[in-house]
Amino acid sequence: MGPVALVLHFVSLCFICSIHGQAEFPDLPDVVTVPESSSPGTSVHSFTLVNCSSNNPTVTITSVSPAATYFNTPTQSKAGAGEFNLQITLSSSATLNADVVNEYVLEITAQCGNETATGQLFVMITDDISEPQCEPQFSSQVGDTVQVYSSVPASSTIYTVVLRQPKNTPVTYKITQPSPSPFTILQNGHVLAPASGFSNTAADYQLQITVTDSLGNTCNGTLNVKVLTVYDNPINFTSSSESVTIMENGGPNQLVTIVTARGSNIQYEVINPMAAFYIESGTGTIRTTYNLDLDSSPALVSTILRVRAYDPYNRSNSASVTVTINVLDVNDIAPQCSPAIIVDVVPQTAPVGYTFIDFSCTDPDYNSTELTYSIIPDTNSLYSFRMQGSKLQINKTLNYDSAVMASLNFQYSATVVVTDSGTPRMTTNIPVFITVTAVNDYTPICVGPSAFTVNENAPFGTVVGQINATDADYPFNSVQFSIIGGPNPPVFYVVPRTGEIKLLGPLDFETTSSYSLRMKVVDLNNDILPDPANQRTTFCTITISVTDYNDNPPVCTPPFYSTTIYSTLLTTSAVVTLTCSDKDASAVLSYTIVGGNVNGRFRLNGPTVLHNPFSFNPDGVMDPLSYELLIQVTDSAVSPKFTTTATVFITVIPWTTTQPTTTKTTPTPEKQTRIVNQTLTYWQPDIWFMVVLTVTGVLLLSALALLTWALCKRFPLCSQGTNELTQTLLPDSSVSNNEAVMEPSKQPPPAKEKKDVAPVSPLSLQFDGRAQDPESQPA
């Protein structure tokens, strides 16, 4: 690369780096000089890498032109943030020679994360060696070796010492060991056989040779001379041809065969060289030079090599053999299929036998074999798919409505295995992913109780019950409820998503004791896209029974009774029987006389009024002749309970002697109904007022007591008077006590009995809804 091109290249690289602001080598490109005498490890060039985003960049020498392995991979050390120091040194194999190559171009690349920096280094090899250089093999510790027959002519050239860089000529050569030596070396470096020749015996000689230039610089070398005995050595093979069979893909240096010729000191060579094979000259071993592959190179199936065995000192003494190499195919390539993966979507109603794909598979091996297909399911796709030849088909109906499939996003997984019939068998796995979409194919089913009860006094919003329905489509039991048949206006409503039936209006057991509701159940969200046209509906009927609650009072018909009886009526005979009823089915009526039963002359047996014996003794108990009985009718023994009052007017005709009855009818005057309104005025103070009044009274009495005590203590007469008064009163109380125990004969005659007055019950003061005539009431 010329100087102008070098400068232009440098400018272009700098321009690119300045535009992008990426990682770069600011010191490259550069030109360095290295003496050709530099030893391994010598530093070639040090430079830097900047703007590197990685903490551990990869810096490599991507190419060396001309090709050489003389330069080590750059070593690196961190100099700062994004900056690294780099150094290139000579490798252990470096043998620089400016006469052969005087310039190397190194392409250097740094990988900093996602960025790449490149640069060039031009290494100039300079010739600064002043001393002569012997060939490496000759100047090595072991030295160079030459074999000669003992029959070589005397003083003939058997070896030539060659200098790599002859400088400062003329150069002189000298055998320093052994001294004296039977061998002679000329000033041109030729080593001559002894002047007397060799005896026909094997012998070994080691010569130390020194090369000196005109300035006195030297290099030393060693020459080993091996003398071979001369004798008759015919070379031949036992057969003119061989045949061998090997397997392909044995790799490079695979042993093919070993050819052996009879004779001594034999070398082997291939007469018709083949790139795929080579022979070891000393052993006759034939090996492969690279991996044989019949699939890429079918011509290698059979190769004919011609091998020659010869005497290296007398090439005319040789023999040849033909080696036929047959290469057998190894089944090492798996079948290739199209497509390489199956991803499909089908509805859950896809029929059995539905074909997803018909695979197109081939065997790329040299000996193409027959292919077989099988399927390996996972736990969830077991028995779901089958292979019909090369066709992947549904084996059983795919299930969408499953919680397990929901957890797998409704995707079935399996693997199709394609196997060839070669040896060894090779297989190819094809992943299969089948996603199933929803189809609404199940109708909801009503389950659970269909009969419920509710109390007629239940408040608005009371949960009467819950209707349940199942739907086998996923998501499970996603249904909606509604009432399409029932009372109008509606008494109940249903929560659409939960199925709870709640009370909407008031209930009356006495009017309606049972309701029949027709429920509509519709499934939801059971298709890949919600489609009302594909919704499924079912209907079910539920019954709601209303339980009775005591909310009606008893009713007596008529509300009052009037009757006349003789006092001689048997006490077991009914005076009157009340006719009362209650709309509540659970009502149990009980009867009680709560007023007007003077002297307890009447009693009840259920709704029947019976009487006890009457008394009309003027000197004793004198019963009234008219009674107004108030009979309370109660419909329950527990709360809630309702009562009503029936009035029974009973007129008693005293009958003490037996007289013939008369047929004369005494007219009963009609009672005029009159409504009496009475207003009762009373004062009901607040509780706090009563408390204050009581406390004030107590304090006042306490003050009066203290005042009286103080006065009595101040005036003793007051206390004496009190004692006398107390003593005077005591005899009177004793007399009264004695009189209380006097004999009945000494007691004063009793006063004339007063007529008993019937106790007035508080209920008798209550207004029972019946008109009363106060003037006609008994006193």
Side-chain angles (χ1 to χ4, degrees), residues 259 265-270 278-286 307-310 312 315:
V259 294
N265 195 28
I266 299 175
Q267 298 288 317
Y268 299 90
E269 65 179 0
V270 177
Y278 74 94
I279 190 169
E280 296 177 358
S281 61
T283 63
T285 302
I286 301 176
V307 178
R308 175 189 290 129
Y310 65 95
R315 292 187 66 89

Side-chain angles (χ1 to χ4, degrees), residues 1 64 66 245 254 302 355 397 459-460 466 534 548 604 619 666 678 723:
M1 179 180 292
V64 178
T245 300
Q254 178 187 2
S302 181
T355 300
T397 303
F460 170 79
Q466 183 173 16
N534 291 334
D548 186 33
L604 292 175
D619 297 329
T666 302
Q678 181 178 2
N723 295 335

Side-chain angles (χ1 to χ4, degrees), residues 652-665:
V652 180
I653 300 176
W655 195 268
T656 58
T657 59
T658 304
Q659 294 181 356
T661 60
T662 177
T663 58
K664 185 177 179 179
T665 304

Side-chain angles (χ1 to χ4, degrees), residues 176-203:
T176 59
Q177 292 287 341
S179 181
S181 173
F183 297 92
T184 304
I185 186 168
L186 302 179
Q187 292 309 307
N188 58 3
H190 294 322
V191 179
L192 305 180
S196 60
F198 296 107
S199 62
N200 193 20
T201 58

Side-chain angles (χ1 to χ4, degrees), residues 365-691:
D365 277 306
Y366 177 78
N367 294 325
S368 181
T369 58
E370 183 180 356
L371 303 180
T372 58
Y373 299 82
S374 61
I375 189 164
I376 301 177
D378 60 12
T379 304
N380 298 309
S381 63
L382 187 63
Y383 307 122
S384 298
F385 306 104
R386 69 189 182 197
M387 292 302 301
Q388 194 73 25
S390 60
K391 296 180 180 179
L392 175 62
Q393 298 180 341
I394 294 178
N395 188 53
K396 71 173 184 179
T397 303
L398 302 181
N399 184 18
Y400 178 91
D401 306 308
S402 167
V404 174
M405 293 307 301
S407 66
L408 301 174
N409 293 324
F410 309 100
Q411 187 179 77
Y412 287 84
S413 301
T415 302
V416 174
V417 180
V418 184
T419 307
D420 61 21
S421 56
T423 303
R425 292 181 179 271
M426 301 296 292
T427 61
T428 295
N429 296 334
I430 304 175
V432 176
F433 301 98
I434 305 298
T435 301
V436 181
T437 59
V439 174
N440 190 11
D441 53 355
Y442 291 101
T443 300
I445 300 175
C446 294
V447 297
S450 60
F452 307 96
T453 59
V454 60
N455 196 285
E456 69 172 320
N457 74 324
F460 170 79
T462 299
V463 177
V464 177
Q466 183 173 16
I467 179 174
N468 293 317
T470 60
D471 185 10
D473 290 303
Y474 189 88
F476 303 122
N477 309 328
S478 177
V479 296
Q480 179 174 287
F481 303 90
S482 60
I483 301 175
I484 61 171
N488 190 15
V491 180
F492 305 94
Y493 77 95
V494 63
V495 179
R497 295 308 303 268
T498 65
E500 282 188 331
I501 301 172
K502 296 186 177 181
L503 185 61
L504 185 62
L507 300 174
D508 187 3
F509 174 82
E510 288 73 32
T511 302
T512 305
S513 62
S514 179
Y515 294 89
S516 179
L517 304 180
R518 181 172 172 80
M519 309 298 296
K520 179 181 179 181
V521 184
V522 180
D523 58 13
L524 303 173
N525 303 325
N526 297 123
D527 290 294
I528 185 172
L529 294 175
D531 185 3
N534 291 334
Q535 287 182 323
R536 291 176 175 260
T537 304
T538 191
F539 299 91
C540 50
T541 302
I542 65 170
T543 301
I544 301 177
S545 299
V546 181
T547 59
D548 186 33
Y549 180 79
N550 189 19
D551 57 351
N552 294 288
V555 176
C556 294
T557 306
F560 61 88
Y561 296 82
S562 178
T563 185
T564 301
I565 64 171
Y566 289 99
S567 61
T568 56
L569 181 66
L570 295 176
T571 58
T572 58
S573 298
V575 176
V576 68
T577 299
L578 303 183
T579 303
C580 299
S581 62
D582 193 322
K583 291 182 179 180
D584 295 311
S586 60
V588 178
L589 302 182
S590 60
Y591 302 84
T592 306
I593 299 175
V594 296
N597 191 12
V598 180
N599 296 332
R601 296 308 182 192
F602 296 94
R603 68 182 189 277
L604 292 175
N605 183 12
T608 301
V609 179
L610 303 175
H611 75 90
N612 296 322
F614 296 100
S615 174
F616 299 102
N617 185 0
D619 297 329
V621 177
M622 187 67 179
D623 291 331
L625 300 181
S626 296
Y627 294 86
E628 182 180 350
L629 299 181
L630 296 179
I631 300 176
Q632 179 178 281
V633 183
T634 305
D635 61 3
S636 176
V638 296
S639 182
K641 57 183 177 181
F642 295 89
T643 63
T644 190
T645 303
T647 305
V648 179
F649 298 96
I650 302 174
T651 301
V652 180
I653 300 176
W655 195 268
T656 58
T657 59
T658 304
Q659 294 181 356
T661 60
T662 177
T663 58
K664 185 177 179 179
T665 304
T666 302
T668 302
E670 293 183 358
K671 294 185 178 182
Q672 299 296 324
T673 302
R674 184 172 61 180
I675 299 175
V676 177
N677 295 325
Q678 181 178 2
T679 303
L680 179 61
T681 302
Y682 67 95
W683 176 60
Q684 182 178 358
D686 293 336
I687 296 177
W688 68 268
F689 181 79
M690 297 300 295
V691 173

Side-chain angles (χ1 to χ4, degrees), residues 683 685-700:
W683 176 60
D686 293 336
I687 296 177
W688 68 268
F689 181 79
M690 297 300 295
V691 173
V692 172
L693 183 61
T694 303
V695 172
T696 303
V698 170
L699 293 176
L700 181 59

Side-chain angles (χ1 to χ4, degrees), residues 183-266:
F183 297 92
T184 304
I185 186 168
L186 302 179
Q187 292 309 307
N188 58 3
H190 294 322
V191 179
L192 305 180
S196 60
F198 296 107
S199 62
N200 193 20
T201 58
D204 292 325
Y205 300 90
Q206 188 177 66
L207 307 179
Q208 299 293 331
I209 302 174
T210 299
V211 182
T212 305
D213 64 9
S214 62
L215 300 178
N217 299 314
T218 64
C219 70
N220 299 313
T222 302
L223 176 62
N224 299 296
V225 180
K226 186 175 183 180
V227 180
L228 304 177
T229 304
V230 177
Y231 56 90
D232 187 16
N233 180 29
I235 298 175
N236 58 69
F237 288 97
T238 58
S239 64
S240 61
S241 65
E242 293 185 16
S243 179
V244 63
T245 300
I246 62 172
M247 303 299 292
E248 69 168 341
N249 289 337
N253 296 322
Q254 178 187 2
L255 176 62
V256 177
T257 186
I258 300 176
V259 294
T260 304
R262 290 180 296 185
S264 300
N265 195 28
I266 299 175

